[in-house]
PDB file of all heavy atoms in Angstrom:
ATOM      1  N   MET A1551    -101.441  76.433 -41.163  1.00 97.00           N
ATOM      2  CA  MET A1551    -101.539  77.145 -42.443  1.00 97.00           C
ATOM      3  C   MET A1551    -102.925  76.985 -43.059  1.00 97.00           C
ATOM      4  O   MET A1551    -103.508  77.945 -43.568  1.00 97.00           O
ATOM      5  CB  MET A1551    -100.478  76.629 -43.423  1.00 97.00           C
ATOM      6  CG  MET A1551     -99.059  77.003 -43.061  1.00 97.00           C
ATOM      7  SD  MET A1551     -97.866  76.326 -44.230  1.00 97.00           S
ATOM      8  CE  MET A1551     -98.232  77.307 -45.688  1.00 97.00           C
ATOM      9  N   ILE A1552    -103.462  75.771 -43.005  1.00 97.00           N
ATOM     10  CA  ILE A1552    -104.747  75.491 -43.635  1.00 97.00           C
ATOM     11  C   ILE A1552    -105.873  76.220 -42.911  1.00 97.00           C
ATOM     12  O   ILE A1552    -106.717  76.878 -43.542  1.00 97.00           O
ATOM     13  CB  ILE A1552    -105.016  73.965 -43.652  1.00 97.00           C
ATOM     14  CG1 ILE A1552    -103.974  73.244 -44.514  1.00 97.00           C
ATOM     15  CG2 ILE A1552    -106.433  73.685 -44.147  1.00 97.00           C
ATOM     16  CD1 ILE A1552    -103.960  73.666 -45.958  1.00 97.00           C
ATOM     17  N   PHE A1553    -105.923  76.128 -41.598  1.00 97.00           N
ATOM     18  CA  PHE A1553    -107.059  76.659 -40.853  1.00 97.00           C
ATOM     19  C   PHE A1553    -106.912  78.131 -40.480  1.00 97.00           C
ATOM     20  O   PHE A1553    -107.894  78.871 -40.478  1.00 97.00           O
ATOM     21  CB  PHE A1553    -107.288  75.829 -39.583  1.00 97.00           C
ATOM     22  CG  PHE A1553    -107.973  74.518 -39.829  1.00 97.00           C
ATOM     23  CD1 PHE A1553    -107.248  73.388 -40.154  1.00 97.00           C
ATOM     24  CD2 PHE A1553    -109.345  74.416 -39.758  1.00 97.00           C
ATOM     25  CE1 PHE A1553    -107.875  72.174 -40.394  1.00 97.00           C
ATOM     26  CE2 PHE A1553    -109.995  73.216 -40.001  1.00 97.00           C
ATOM     27  CZ  PHE A1553    -109.257  72.090 -40.320  1.00 97.00           C
ATOM     28  N   VAL A1554    -105.712  78.562 -40.166  1.00 97.00           N
ATOM     29  CA  VAL A1554    -105.504  79.955 -39.743  1.00 97.00           C
ATOM     30  C   VAL A1554    -104.978  80.811 -40.888  1.00 97.00           C
ATOM     31  O   VAL A1554    -105.523  81.877 -41.181  1.00 97.00           O
ATOM     32  CB  VAL A1554    -104.533  80.033 -38.543  1.00 97.00           C
ATOM     33  CG1 VAL A1554    -104.335  81.485 -38.107  1.00 97.00           C
ATOM     34  CG2 VAL A1554    -105.055  79.204 -37.373  1.00 97.00           C
ATOM     35  N   GLY A1555    -103.940  80.337 -41.564  1.00 97.00           N
ATOM     36  CA  GLY A1555    -103.318  81.124 -42.623  1.00 97.00           C
ATOM     37  C   GLY A1555    -104.261  81.427 -43.775  1.00 97.00           C
ATOM     38  O   GLY A1555    -104.514  82.597 -44.094  1.00 97.00           O
ATOM     39  N   PHE A1556    -104.804  80.383 -44.375  1.00 97.00           N
ATOM     40  CA  PHE A1556    -105.724  80.583 -45.501  1.00 97.00           C
ATOM     41  C   PHE A1556    -106.979  81.329 -45.059  1.00 97.00           C
ATOM     42  O   PHE A1556    -107.496  82.187 -45.777  1.00 97.00           O
ATOM     43  CB  PHE A1556    -106.109  79.240 -46.126  1.00 97.00           C
ATOM     44  CG  PHE A1556    -105.099  78.704 -47.102  1.00 97.00           C
ATOM     45  CD1 PHE A1556    -104.206  77.708 -46.729  1.00 97.00           C
ATOM     46  CD2 PHE A1556    -105.032  79.190 -48.391  1.00 97.00           C
ATOM     47  CE1 PHE A1556    -103.269  77.213 -47.620  1.00 97.00           C
ATOM     48  CE2 PHE A1556    -104.106  78.698 -49.301  1.00 97.00           C
ATOM     49  CZ  PHE A1556    -103.224  77.712 -48.918  1.00 97.00           C
ATOM     50  N   GLY A1557    -107.480  80.984 -43.878  1.00 96.00           N
ATOM     51  CA  GLY A1557    -108.709  81.609 -43.406  1.00 96.00           C
ATOM     52  C   GLY A1557    -108.585  83.112 -43.230  1.00 96.00           C
ATOM     53  O   GLY A1557    -109.400  83.882 -43.764  1.00 96.00           O
ATOM     54  N   PHE A1558    -107.568  83.542 -42.516  1.00 97.00           N
ATOM     55  CA  PHE A1558    -107.420  84.972 -42.257  1.00 97.00           C
ATOM     56  C   PHE A1558    -106.928  85.740 -43.475  1.00 97.00           C
ATOM     57  O   PHE A1558    -107.200  86.936 -43.607  1.00 97.00           O
ATOM     58  CB  PHE A1558    -106.486  85.197 -41.063  1.00 97.00           C
ATOM     59  CG  PHE A1558    -107.178  85.088 -39.738  1.00 97.00           C
ATOM     60  CD1 PHE A1558    -107.270  83.878 -39.088  1.00 97.00           C
ATOM     61  CD2 PHE A1558    -107.770  86.196 -39.160  1.00 97.00           C
ATOM     62  CE1 PHE A1558    -107.935  83.755 -37.881  1.00 97.00           C
ATOM     63  CE2 PHE A1558    -108.433  86.099 -37.945  1.00 97.00           C
ATOM     64  CZ  PHE A1558    -108.516  84.873 -37.304  1.00 97.00           C
ATOM     65  N   LEU A1559    -106.206  85.075 -44.373  1.00 96.00           N
ATOM     66  CA  LEU A1559    -105.749  85.759 -45.578  1.00 96.00           C
ATOM     67  C   LEU A1559    -106.919  86.301 -46.393  1.00 96.00           C
ATOM     68  O   LEU A1559    -106.796  87.328 -47.077  1.00 96.00           O
ATOM     69  CB  LEU A1559    -104.911  84.803 -46.433  1.00 96.00           C
ATOM     70  CG  LEU A1559    -104.324  85.373 -47.736  1.00 96.00           C
ATOM     71  CD1 LEU A1559    -103.330  86.495 -47.427  1.00 96.00           C
ATOM     72  CD2 LEU A1559    -103.651  84.280 -48.553  1.00 96.00           C
ATOM     73  N   MET A1560    -108.076  85.633 -46.289  1.00 96.00           N
ATOM     74  CA  MET A1560    -109.234  86.028 -47.096  1.00 96.00           C
ATOM     75  C   MET A1560    -110.209  86.947 -46.354  1.00 96.00           C
ATOM     76  O   MET A1560    -111.317  87.186 -46.822  1.00 96.00           O
ATOM     77  CB  MET A1560    -109.958  84.772 -47.597  1.00 96.00           C
ATOM     78  CG  MET A1560    -109.144  83.992 -48.622  1.00 96.00           C
ATOM     79  SD  MET A1560    -110.011  82.573 -49.335  1.00 96.00           S
ATOM     80  CE  MET A1560    -109.697  81.331 -48.093  1.00 96.00           C
ATOM     81  N   THR A1561    -109.799  87.480 -45.210  1.00 95.00           N
ATOM     82  CA  THR A1561    -110.689  88.356 -44.442  1.00 95.00           C
ATOM     83  C   THR A1561    -110.590  89.821 -44.864  1.00 95.00           C
ATOM     84  O   THR A1561    -111.089  90.694 -44.158  1.00 95.00           O
ATOM     85  CB  THR A1561    -110.394  88.255 -42.931  1.00 95.00           C
ATOM     86  OG1 THR A1561    -109.021  88.622 -42.700  1.00 95.00           O
ATOM     87  CG2 THR A1561    -110.645  86.844 -42.410  1.00 95.00           C
ATOM     88  N   PHE A1562    -109.983  90.092 -45.990  1.00 95.00           N
ATOM     89  CA  PHE A1562    -109.782  91.486 -46.385  1.00 95.00           C
ATOM     90  C   PHE A1562    -111.079  92.185 -46.787  1.00 95.00           C
ATOM     91  O   PHE A1562    -111.171  93.411 -46.748  1.00 95.00           O
ATOM     92  CB  PHE A1562    -108.773  91.576 -47.540  1.00 95.00           C
ATOM     93  CG  PHE A1562    -109.249  90.934 -48.810  1.00 95.00           C
ATOM     94  CD1 PHE A1562    -109.876  91.683 -49.787  1.00 95.00           C
ATOM     95  CD2 PHE A1562    -109.082  89.575 -49.031  1.00 95.00           C
ATOM     96  CE1 PHE A1562    -110.319  91.111 -50.965  1.00 95.00           C
ATOM     97  CE2 PHE A1562    -109.527  88.984 -50.197  1.00 95.00           C
ATOM     98  CZ  PHE A1562    -110.146  89.751 -51.168  1.00 95.00           C
ATOM     99  N   LEU A1563    -112.100  91.427 -47.194  1.00 94.00           N
ATOM    100  CA  LEU A1563    -113.369  92.047 -47.574  1.00 94.00           C
ATOM    101  C   LEU A1563    -114.072  92.589 -46.332  1.00 94.00           C
ATOM    102  O   LEU A1563    -114.183  91.893 -45.317  1.00 94.00           O
ATOM    103  CB  LEU A1563    -114.267  91.031 -48.287  1.00 94.00           C
ATOM    104  CG  LEU A1563    -113.777  90.578 -49.662  1.00 94.00           C
ATOM    105  CD1 LEU A1563    -114.640  89.425 -50.170  1.00 94.00           C
ATOM    106  CD2 LEU A1563    -113.788  91.726 -50.660  1.00 94.00           C
TER     107      LEU A1563
END
Side-chain angles (χ1 to χ4, degrees):
M1551 290 178 69
I1552 296 299
F1553 282 87
V1554 180
F1556 278 101
F1558 277 90
L1559 181 64
M1560 291 184 276
T1561 59
F1562 65 94
L1563 292 172

